[in-house]
Amino acid sequence: NAGVTQTPKFQVLKTGQSMTLQCAQDMNHEYMSWYRQDPGMGLRLIHYSVGAGITDQGEVPNGYNVSRSTTEDFPLRLLSAAPSQTSVYFCASSPGLPTDTQYFGPGTRLTVL
Amino acid sequence: GENVEQHPSTLSVQEGDSAVIKCTYSDSASNYFPWYKQELGKRPQLIIDIRSNVGEKKDQRIAVTLNKTAKHFSLHITETQPEDSAVYFCAAIRGASYIPTFGRGTSLIVHP
């Protein structure tokens, strides 16, 4: 099992550009989520999904879109990048609720100039 | 919504000492409290968790205690080693919620 994988590992964008962060898991987990991690702020939930076709907003959803067409994949889209979106992004999955053990991906470090 | 406060933000100890990190939460309906360890440049990894029907849980040198009345829970690391140096995060989750709330993290430094 590869677990939770994320691509790319690093990305630099200019303000206004769009891009998609990829996340995939091969553990057949129903729950997947995206977090951003900023210095001194802990992890904040952006969006989550409880299964294919079902997504919902977390704590800080503005500026981000998600979709879940398959159990395995949960991409995060930035439609028009802003410097405030400079952060490290982690994808995570768990078998059911987040009260099950969550497994994190390796992260994507995004810089928006 | 839930609010989680974590203290201290930095903790420096000598190898072999004990370390204690404390978190308080605001939502009395929260019933699951995991702790994550994140080494520099790596992903967070679950190290121990506790549910609201349990007061204490141990795993070798690591233990977590929960006081539901006071709404706080703590991570205890005994006989610290340099490889324990990392950032530790607590979180609180309400059973019916899909939104975990994390503390801001504690940077633990263990000096050899």
Side-chain angles (χ1 to χ4, degrees):
Chain A
N1 281 358
V4 181
T5 58
Q6 290 182 238
T7 56
K9 290 187 178 179
F10 302 94
Q11 184 70 49
V12 179
L13 291 178
K14 293 181 180 177
T15 297
Q17 287 185 317
S18 62
M19 79 158 296
T20 300
L21 307 185
Q22 301 291 344
C23 174
Q25 52 91 10
D26 61 359
M27 299 174 282
N28 203 33
H29 286 173
E30 291 297 325
Y31 180 88
M32 295 186 73
S33 54
W34 276 102
Y35 294 88
R36 60 178 290 173
Q37 184 175 36
D38 302 296
M41 293 296 293
L43 291 154
R44 292 183 292 169
L45 185 67
I46 304 170
H47 286 286
Y48 66 92
S49 169
V50 300
I54 306 168
T55 63
D56 208 343
Q57 297 180 351
E59 223 184 312
V60 288
N62 292 341
Y64 308 95
N65 280 352
V66 292
S67 61
R68 183 99 178 267
S69 57
T70 67
T71 299
E72 294 78 20
D73 300 300
F74 190 44
L76 178 72
R77 278 182 287 276
L78 285 71
L79 298 179
S80 179
S84 60
Q85 293 179 304
T86 294
S87 189
V88 179
Y89 292 85
F90 288 99
C91 178
S93 74
S94 65
L97 292 171
T99 48
D100 295 326
T101 300
Q102 285 205 84
Y103 297 88
F104 284 83
T108 295
R109 183 175 293 276
L110 175 68
T111 302
V112 182
L113 303 175
Chain B
E2 175 67 279
N3 183 47
V4 175
E5 298 284 340
Q6 183 172 346
H7 297 282
S9 57
T10 305
L11 180 58
S12 182
V13 300
Q14 291 295 127
E15 182 176 1
D17 287 350
S18 295
V20 181
I21 303 169
K22 182 175 176 179
C23 287
T24 59
Y25 61 99
S26 61
D27 188 348
S28 57
S30 290
N31 60 0
Y32 176 64
F33 308 93
W35 285 91
Y36 291 87
K37 175 183 180 182
Q38 186 178 28
E39 296 176 355
L40 190 62
K42 302 288 180 65
R43 72 191 79 188
Q45 291 192 301
L46 179 73
I47 55 171
I48 196 166
D49 56 12
I50 193 166
R51 299 183 190 272
S52 59
N53 58 348
V54 175
E56 184 176 4
K57 184 176 178 180
K58 288 184 180 178
D59 183 2
Q60 299 183 328
R61 296 186 296 108
I62 293 173
V64 56
T65 58
L66 172 65
N67 184 324
K68 286 170 53 181
T69 303
K71 289 192 279 189
H72 67 71
F73 56 110
S74 299
L75 177 70
H76 304 255
I77 306 174
T78 59
E79 300 173 24
T80 53
Q81 301 167 3
E83 51 265 40
D84 294 329
S85 296
V87 178
Y88 292 81
F89 292 97
C90 65
I93 305 167
R94 194 172 61 183
S97 166
Y98 294 99
I99 303 178
T101 301
F102 283 80
R104 296 191 173 198
T106 296
S107 177
L108 174 64
I109 303 164
V110 181
H111 299 280

